[in-house]
């Protein structure tokens, strides 16, 4: 059901895979990025990328062009290109921001990327061949606070962003200098970068920083999770109708779509959870995807505990481990395939989960 990987680091703040999942880039919660390659004997550290001088906040690996983009609290972003000798060459990106770069995401065609920042700005970056550098254009209004998360629509010309002003906004991400005019979309269309196409408050009265946003595979729906432990889905095909579910769990920090109706969320509860969106747009809890780690020995552990208390009036067992693979907050989740996703955590572990193996055991779960 799971693959558990350790890289000898104390914590992982974010990670990204290459196209065939033979290599992974991780940030060990500092200013470095480590690139590891899978070998028959485990993972081998290929290179440590050290251009940033403050904490790395985001990584994304473009599968087709094989370029890595990183952003950092040092207000900088770099595009890393692999040379013939296997070394990674950084290209500085002119972001023109005055606060930390907080998140980054390649567009589906990998010809541009979006960077969120603490300066109430989204930088949409693209390569200018004539000058041989990465340039950006800004989306500023009506952003009122730090942009914490961004995602691209499948059409490559619309993006969604969440921020700490409790709002989720859909913008035109069209760059006239390099793209053909946008086609039709349920979210609307615009020939001007930054045009606001939709805006959603996390709750009618505000309520909670937005931690993660994600377009559905078809692009008609947006899911987001926030610090008030809510999961929300907006559907452009239904007049931008929003369905909200307030959960009993600790806040989620990431959300990803697996198929057209399944949403995997994870965060401070240290385990991924599966929610399903039905044909009416309602959100239902389906299953915790990680609740079997210690239940098999729970009875034996309890017996030992009481025997120890009975014989020596003290507890000899250390029962502090959580009933989950991850032992700390999950702060990054990545879709790996149509039925797989990966999570990294402040416990230093990276785990790959296969939902196809759970399809028969979870009622209503259908993996397209």
């Amino acid at each position: 059901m799971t693959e558990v990987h350790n890289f000898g680091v104390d914590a992982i703040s974010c990670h990204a895979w290459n196209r065939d999942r033979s290599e992974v880039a991780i940030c060990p919660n500092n200013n470095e990025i480590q690139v590891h390659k899978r070998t028959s004997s485990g993972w081998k550290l290929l290179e440590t990328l050290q251009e940033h001088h403050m904490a790395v906040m985001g990584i994304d690996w473009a599968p087709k062009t094989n370029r890595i983009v990183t952003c950092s609290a040092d207000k900088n972003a770099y595009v890393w290109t692999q040379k013939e000798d296997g070394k990674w060459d950084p290209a500085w990106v002119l972001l023109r921001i005055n606060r930390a770069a907080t998140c980054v995401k390649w567009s589906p065609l990998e010809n541009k990327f979006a960077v969120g920042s603490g300066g109430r700005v989204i930088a949409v970056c693209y390569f200018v061949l004539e000058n041989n550098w990465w340039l950006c254009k800004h989306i500023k209004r009506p952003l009122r606070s730090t942009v914490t998360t961004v995602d691209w629509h499948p059409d490559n010309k619309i993006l969604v962003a969440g921020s700490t002003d409790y709002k989720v906004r859909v913008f035109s991400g069209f760059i006239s200098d390099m793209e053909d005019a946008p086609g039709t979309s349920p979210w609307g269309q615009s020939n001007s970068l930054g045009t606001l196409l939709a805006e959603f408050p996390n709750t009618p009265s505000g309520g909670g920083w937005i931690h993660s946003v994600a377009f559905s595979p078809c692009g008609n729906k947006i899911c987001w999770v926030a610090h008030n432990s809510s999961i929300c889905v907006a559907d452009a095909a239904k007049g931008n109708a929003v369905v909200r579910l307030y959960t009993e769990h600790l806040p989620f920090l990431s959300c990803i779509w697996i198929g057209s109706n399944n949403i995997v969320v994870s965060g401070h509860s240290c385990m991924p959870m599966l929610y399903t969106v039905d044909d009416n747009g309602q959100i239902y809890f389906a299953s915790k995807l990680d609740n079997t780690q210690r239940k098999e020995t729970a009875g034996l552990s309890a017996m030992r505990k009481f025997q120890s208390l009975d014989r020596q009036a003290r507890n000899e067992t250390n029962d502090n481990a959580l009933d989950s693979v991850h032992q700390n907050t999950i702060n990054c989740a990545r879709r790996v395939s149509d039925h797989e996703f990966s999570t990294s955590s402040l416990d230093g572990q990276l785990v790959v989960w296969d939902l196809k193996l759970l399809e028969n055991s979870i009622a209503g779960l259908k993996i397209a």
Side-chain angles (χ1 to χ4, degrees):
M1 183 180 70
T2 59
E3 299 176 20
V4 181
H5 305 290
N6 288 281
F7 301 91
V9 297
D10 294 331
I12 300 175
S13 60
C14 48
H15 73 280
W17 299 92
N18 71 340
R19 184 172 189 172
D20 62 2
R21 221 178 78 191
S22 62
E23 297 181 12
V24 64
I26 66 169
C27 175
N29 209 30
N30 56 22
N31 66 321
E32 299 178 348
I33 302 102
Q34 296 181 1
V35 180
H36 294 261
K37 183 178 181 62
R38 191 195 299 263
T39 67
S40 58
S41 59
W43 291 95
K44 178 184 177 182
L45 177 62
L46 295 180
E47 192 171 353
T48 300
L49 313 182
Q50 297 179 310
E51 203 70 23
H52 291 291
H53 61 268
M54 295 182 71
V56 174
M57 305 296 288
I59 304 175
D60 202 17
W61 197 328
K64 298 174 185 176
T65 57
N66 195 40
R67 293 182 300 203
I68 298 173
V69 61
T70 61
C71 69
S72 165
D74 62 11
K75 311 173 192 175
N76 291 317
Y78 289 92
V79 175
W80 304 80
T81 305
Q82 195 169 29
K83 298 184 292 186
E84 292 183 0
D85 61 0
K87 297 295 183 180
W88 289 91
D89 185 36
W92 179 64
V93 181
L94 184 61
L95 290 180
R96 297 183 290 114
I97 59 176
N98 58 9
R99 296 290 187 275
T102 53
C103 54
V104 64
K105 185 80 171 182
W106 281 108
S107 68
L109 294 182
E110 303 174 12
N111 57 352
K112 57 186 175 180
F113 57 89
V115 180
S117 79
R120 301 180 294 178
V121 167
I122 301 171
V124 180
C125 309
Y126 60 101
F127 190 72
V128 181
L129 186 61
E130 294 81 3
N131 297 326
N132 193 33
W133 68 352
W134 289 89
L135 192 61
C136 78
K137 294 187 176 182
H138 284 173
I139 299 174
K140 296 181 178 180
R141 297 178 181 177
L143 297 168
R144 298 183 181 89
S145 191
T146 298
V147 177
T148 54
T149 174
V150 292
D151 193 27
W152 285 94
H153 190 278
D155 75 355
N156 204 70
K157 297 172 183 176
I158 295 175
L159 61 87
V160 60
S163 63
T164 56
D165 62 6
Y166 313 153
K167 298 283 184 68
V168 171
R169 298 179 176 91
V170 181
F171 294 101
S172 168
F174 173 69
I175 301 288
S176 59
D177 297 349
M178 54 171 289
E179 297 180 288
D180 297 330
T184 59
S185 165
W187 298 102
Q189 66 183 68
S190 172
N191 291 327
S192 177
L193 176 73
T195 299
L196 182 66
L197 303 178
E199 181 177 274
F200 306 100
N202 183 47
T203 68
S205 58
W209 291 3
I210 310 300
H211 287 306
S212 181
V213 293
F215 273 110
S216 63
C218 68
N220 290 346
K221 299 175 184 176
I222 295 172
C223 173
W224 68 86
V225 292
H227 203 68
N228 61 351
S229 300
S230 64
I231 303 172
C232 302
V233 173
D235 192 339
K238 296 181 179 179
N240 290 357
V242 179
V243 177
R244 295 180 173 87
L245 178 67
Y246 300 96
T247 74
E248 61 183 6
H249 305 292
L250 295 176
F252 304 117
L253 299 181
S254 61
C255 62
I256 52 176
W257 291 85
I258 301 294
S260 57
N261 296 307
N262 300 308
I263 301 169
V264 174
V265 298
S266 54
H268 290 290
S269 292
C270 307
M271 64 174 65
M273 302 181 192
L274 180 69
Y275 286 81
T276 299
V277 181
D278 67 12
D279 294 337
N280 296 321
Q282 299 301 310
I283 308 170
Y284 294 98
F285 175 76
S287 176
K288 291 182 179 180
L289 300 179
D290 178 9
N291 58 2
T292 60
Q293 289 305 110
R294 298 175 63 238
K295 285 190 174 181
E296 294 177 1
T297 60
L300 186 58
S301 298
M303 183 179 295
R304 283 204 194 100
K305 188 173 183 178
F306 283 110
Q307 285 176 344
S308 176
L309 287 170
D310 182 49
R311 293 172 183 171
Q312 303 178 16
R314 62 189 177 93
N315 182 12
E316 294 179 340
T317 61
N318 183 3
D319 201 27
N320 295 326
L322 299 176
D323 184 21
S324 59
V325 174
H326 285 299
Q327 296 293 296
N328 208 329
T329 298
I330 299 172
N331 49 16
C332 182
R334 293 278 183 177
R335 183 178 178 274
V336 176
S337 70
D338 291 339
H339 56 90
E340 292 178 300
F341 68 96
S342 60
T343 56
S344 58
S345 166
L346 294 178
D347 63 3
Q349 296 187 112
L350 188 150
V351 181
V352 180
W353 311 79
D354 191 343
L355 282 178
K356 200 69 176 178
L357 300 178
L358 297 172
E359 191 169 2
N360 294 329
S361 61
I362 300 177
L365 174 61
K366 295 180 180 179
I367 304 299

